[in-house]
Amino acid sequence: MARTGPPEADRPHGGKSAVFRRMTAKRPRRAAVVPRRSLLIRLLAVSALVSVCSITATAWVVLRTTAVELGKERGQALADDARIYDTLMGWAATHHDWAGVGPTVERLSRQAGHRVVLTTEDGRTLADSEAARGPAFQPPGNATATVNPLSTDTELSSATGADTGTREAAIIDRRAVGPFRLSAEDSRRLRTLALRLTRCLGNYAGIQARTEVLPSGRPRVVTASAGDAEAIGSSRCPLALLDAPVPSETKPLAALNALVDSCLRQRGTGPVTLMITGGWTPRSEPVPPASTVASCLATSRAQQLAPYVAPAAVLYVASPGRVATTFFDLSAANRLRIAGWAAVVIVITVTVTSLAGIRLVRPLRVLTGAAMRMEGGELSARVPVRGSDEIARLSAAFNAMSQRREELESMRREMTNDVAHELRTPVSNLRGWLEAVEDGIARPDAALVTSLLGQALQLQHIIDDLRDLSAAEAGELRLSPAAIPVADLLSAVADAARATAGAADVSLRVTADPAIVVDADRVRLRQMVDNLVSNAVRHTPPGGTVTLGAALEQHEEPPEREVDAAGKRGWAGDFVVISVSDTGCGIPAGELPHIFDRFWRAEKSRSRLNGGSGLGLAIVRRLAEAHGGTITAVSTVGEGSTFAVRLPAAQAAEFGMLR
């Protein structure tokens, strides 16, 4: 549907005013700067860096100053505790009870300079080195160790240099041999054999070897190098003779084997044959895993040795008379070292903080300078946007504000020119004819008065349109909403426009359901439909048709009135769509987005008398938005256009009260 306008000569800018197009057109949303590195995070990172540097430097100074003394004190304390623990563990491994351990405890106390107390697991005192001289012993919260030869403390055992050997030896003290202790005759015979084998290795294989006697009295040959196994295997010295059990070991080995087999049967595996050296071979299927055999062997050994060792006891090593050792002294060298490192930390902190502060303050100074230039009248003031933190977002917002202010100032000037231009034609005509009458050139007859009245009405129409549009845009338009039957209103508009339509040879049709009711201001709704029908009739060629229609757009949920932050009424329910369609020449696709702008006309050749003020569709849009609705347009060149106003539907109760 084409829209008429004044001649090109009447509008210096030609057609639609660019300023009003920009003022009323929906602005594209500027891309927001998404913060990736927050300024707060950067400040926290700087603070954390400074703190880490300070703590690291302080800790390094303290550790460097105290490490040697602390290591000495701790090493001495651990050595004393380990020696006491090892001695008492040896006693427990070779005695079946703790009777007679008192002299040993007193000797250990004198050597270490500590009070040594040995108690049962239920707290009964077995031996106390200060029982006769010191106060009654009050056990502290934590014991030094538990003396149990069947479950050794690996940390204290390694501190004494004891050979933990295999996993079994690390659990059961190697001195706990119980029934496996050899008789004097068996031990003497095996030692003689071990000496012969040692000499044999030296004479025939060239291997340096020595004899070592285990706590059970059984000797073993130890070579100087671990890589001598292949040479030993190929020599004429049968070391395997030492691996055969002697008569005093046969019975306890058989008893241990029986215990292990019983444990393996409970775990669903086959029996094994134990060797005196600690190895084993399977006797039947299924072959048990090595870990299962090792677990059963450790459990069975502890069970077999339990009657031969002392019960578990709790060991306390205390120093009631000693004062805390000062690991750090404020000597001149230490004070100088602390002062030097403190100065280094201060310099680093000040440098890092200054660099961070300069980077933060520089863009703020640029923003301040731009704001002062804008205050002085420089509307094009801009600042560079760098990064993506809060300051970058502030800079982007400042640039957007400056650009918007510059655009508004430009639009204000152009709007003033457009308004003056729109009023110039009727005012000039009125003045020209009145001056002609005053000079006697024209006679004030009825035709002249009618012409002047038409010019005045045109001027009044433009002023009224501008006033209504300004009030709608400012949100000051007063509305009196009520339930209005749409069919009745459309019929009234059509009846009022039939004379104009008949003169233009355009037919009017109304297709609306009488049951459709809209919630709107009657006067403003009539104004919207009048403007649309007037445009449609004016731009429809002779023989064309203008159709007024209404349809109900229903929602499943019940209607619900809403009020936004600006106080405008909204609607979340059914809507009424009022449409005005024509069979005119249509609007080009390139012009369609601008048809609701101020002073827009599709046909620039139309005169002011034939065309409207260029504000009708802009007023319709603002009135629709004031009602909480919308207006849309669809047009096809050569076929016609359809304008649709979407407004909230009235509730049935409201319509019933109206009727």
Side-chain angles (χ1 to χ4, degrees):
M1 180 169 63
R3 296 295 179 263
T4 61
E8 196 70 26
D10 291 343
R11 292 181 56 84
H13 302 291
K16 173 189 170 293
S17 170
V19 58
F20 287 102
R21 178 181 298 178
R22 291 198 301 270
M23 289 179 65
T24 56
K26 185 176 182 182
R27 293 184 168 272
R29 187 175 182 181
R30 292 184 176 92
V33 179
V34 181
R36 294 191 299 270
R37 293 184 298 170
S38 172
L39 179 60
L40 177 59
I41 295 178
R42 289 165 60 184
L43 290 175
L44 292 177
V46 172
S47 301
L49 177 62
V50 173
S51 301
V52 168
C53 291
S54 302
I55 294 173
T56 302
T58 303
W60 187 83
V61 171
V62 172
L63 289 176
R64 290 282 296 180
T65 306
T66 61
V68 176
E69 293 297 329
L70 184 61
K72 291 180 180 179
E73 290 288 338
R74 185 178 184 278
Q76 184 61 43
L78 183 61
D80 292 342
D81 293 347
R83 186 173 62 255
I84 295 172
Y85 173 81
D86 184 68
T87 302
L88 294 177
M89 184 69 77
W91 173 278
T94 55
H95 296 77
H96 67 279
D97 58 21
W98 292 102
V101 75
T104 302
V105 169
E106 292 180 359
R107 176 174 56 83
L108 293 173
S109 175
R110 289 193 302 270
Q111 293 175 351
H114 303 305
R115 183 175 186 177
V116 180
V117 180
L118 200 64
T119 68
T120 61
E121 291 183 327
D122 57 3
R124 182 172 56 86
T125 302
L126 296 174
D128 184 358
S129 61
E130 303 290 335
R133 302 181 298 275
F137 177 70
Q138 297 293 332
N142 296 321
T144 303
T146 298
V147 182
N148 183 4
L150 302 181
S151 178
T152 62
D153 188 327
T154 56
E155 180 180 357
L156 290 176
S157 297
S158 61
T160 63
D163 181 16
T164 55
T166 63
R167 182 174 180 271
E168 177 189 354
I171 297 175
I172 300 177
D173 190 275
R174 63 199 302 267
R175 291 165 292 190
V177 294
F180 287 92
R181 185 176 299 278
L182 271 63
S183 63
E185 179 63 23
D186 290 339
S187 179
R188 183 188 61 77
R189 185 171 58 82
L190 287 179
R191 289 182 186 180
T192 301
L193 177 60
L195 290 174
R196 291 178 181 175
L197 293 173
T198 301
R199 288 194 295 268
C200 174
L201 290 175
N203 296 333
Y204 295 100
I207 298 175
Q208 298 296 324
R210 60 183 177 84
T211 301
E212 179 183 281
V213 180
L214 300 176
S216 62
R218 167 176 281 277
R220 67 176 181 177
V221 176
V222 180
T223 59
S225 176
D228 295 334
E230 184 177 353
I232 293 175
S234 60
S235 66
R236 295 183 296 174
C237 308
L239 295 182
L241 295 176
L242 289 176
D243 297 338
V246 296
S248 58
E249 295 174 326
T250 302
K251 185 176 180 181
L253 182 60
L256 178 61
N257 208 143
L259 292 175
V260 171
D261 289 344
S262 176
C263 176
L264 292 176
R265 282 195 304 272
Q266 294 177 2
R267 301 191 184 188
T269 60
V272 296
T273 299
L274 297 180
M275 302 177 184
I276 197 63
T277 57
W280 58 273
T281 57
R283 293 206 309 267
S284 65
E285 298 291 338
V287 177
S291 59
T292 303
V293 176
S295 176
C296 286
L297 182 59
T299 304
S300 302
R301 281 211 62 196
Q303 182 179 354
Q304 186 182 33
L305 294 176
Y308 298 92
V309 299
V314 181
L315 172 65
Y316 296 94
V317 180
S319 302
R322 295 183 63 186
V323 297
T325 302
T326 301
F327 298 116
F328 183 74
D329 63 291
L330 292 177
S331 61
N334 287 336
R335 287 197 299 268
L336 182 60
R337 186 179 294 109
I338 292 174
W341 280 106
V344 171
V345 171
I346 292 174
V347 170
I348 294 175
T349 303
V350 171
T351 302
V352 173
T353 306
S354 299
L355 293 176
I358 291 173
R359 289 179 59 86
L360 295 177
V361 171
R362 184 184 297 115
L364 296 179
R365 289 178 178 174
V366 174
L367 277 171
T368 303
M372 294 177 67
R373 294 197 306 273
M374 182 181 293
E375 183 183 6
E378 183 183 342
L379 299 180
S380 60
R382 302 288 191 276
V383 294
V385 179
R386 298 186 180 93
S388 57
D389 54 15
E390 285 83 351
I391 293 181
R393 297 180 66 190
L394 177 61
S395 301
F398 177 86
N399 290 341
M401 178 190 67
S402 178
Q403 180 181 355
R404 179 61 175 164
R405 182 183 177 188
E406 187 177 8
E407 292 174 355
L408 289 176
E409 180 63 21
S410 176
M411 287 188 290
R412 182 188 65 80
R413 294 173 182 173
E414 294 186 15
M415 179 181 176
T416 303
N417 294 333
D418 285 341
V419 172
H421 174 75
E422 294 296 329
L423 298 179
R424 182 184 298 115
T425 300
V427 171
S428 297
N429 290 337
L430 288 173
R431 178 182 176 183
W433 283 109
L434 291 175
E435 288 178 351
V437 171
E438 183 181 23
D439 295 340
I441 299 175
R443 295 177 58 189
D445 54 9
L448 179 59
V449 172
T450 301
S451 176
L452 295 179
L453 180 59
Q455 295 290 335
L457 291 176
Q458 181 69 21
L459 182 61
Q460 182 66 43
H461 179 63
I462 294 175
I463 294 174
D464 290 342
D465 285 349
L466 286 172
R467 182 188 60 188
D468 291 343
L469 187 58
S470 299
E473 289 179 344
E476 298 176 355
L477 195 64
R478 296 183 179 179
L479 300 177
S480 299
I484 303 172
V486 178
D488 295 346
L489 185 138
L490 295 182
S491 298
V493 172
D495 292 341
R498 288 192 190 281
T500 304
D505 193 18
V506 175
S507 60
L508 295 177
R509 291 194 309 165
V510 177
T511 58
D513 187 349
I516 298 177
V517 182
V518 68
D519 183 33
D521 184 289
R522 181 180 294 274
V523 175
R524 297 301 181 183
L525 180 59
R526 176 68 180 265
Q527 183 180 1
M528 285 190 283
V529 180
D530 279 339
N531 283 346
L532 294 178
V533 172
S534 176
N535 278 352
V537 171
R538 187 164 54 247
H539 304 298
T540 300
T545 303
V546 175
T547 304
L548 288 71
L552 183 63
E553 186 179 285
Q554 293 184 336
H555 292 261
E556 296 182 359
E557 298 181 358
E560 208 173 283
R561 284 189 175 86
E562 297 176 348
V563 178
D564 62 9
K568 294 183 178 180
R569 299 183 315 107
W571 191 264
D574 297 343
F575 282 83
V576 173
V577 180
I578 302 174
S579 61
V580 176
S581 303
D582 62 54
T583 57
C585 59
I587 305 172
E591 296 288 343
L592 199 60
H594 309 297
I595 60 176
F596 297 107
D597 296 345
R598 297 180 180 184
F599 304 113
W600 177 88
R601 293 179 183 82
E603 295 182 11
K604 310 302 187 293
S605 61
R606 291 276 185 170
S607 67
R608 171 64 65 193
L609 295 177
N610 293 332
S613 64
L615 298 173
L617 291 180
I619 292 175
V620 173
R621 184 185 68 173
R622 293 299 183 183
L623 291 178
E625 292 175 351
H627 281 82
T630 58
I631 180 171
T632 57
V634 178
S635 181
T636 303
V637 176
E639 296 182 5
S641 305
T642 299
F643 289 80
V645 179
R646 187 171 179 267
L647 299 176
Q651 297 185 26
E654 293 177 352
F655 182 51
M657 293 191 321
L658 179 67
R659 303 289 261 191

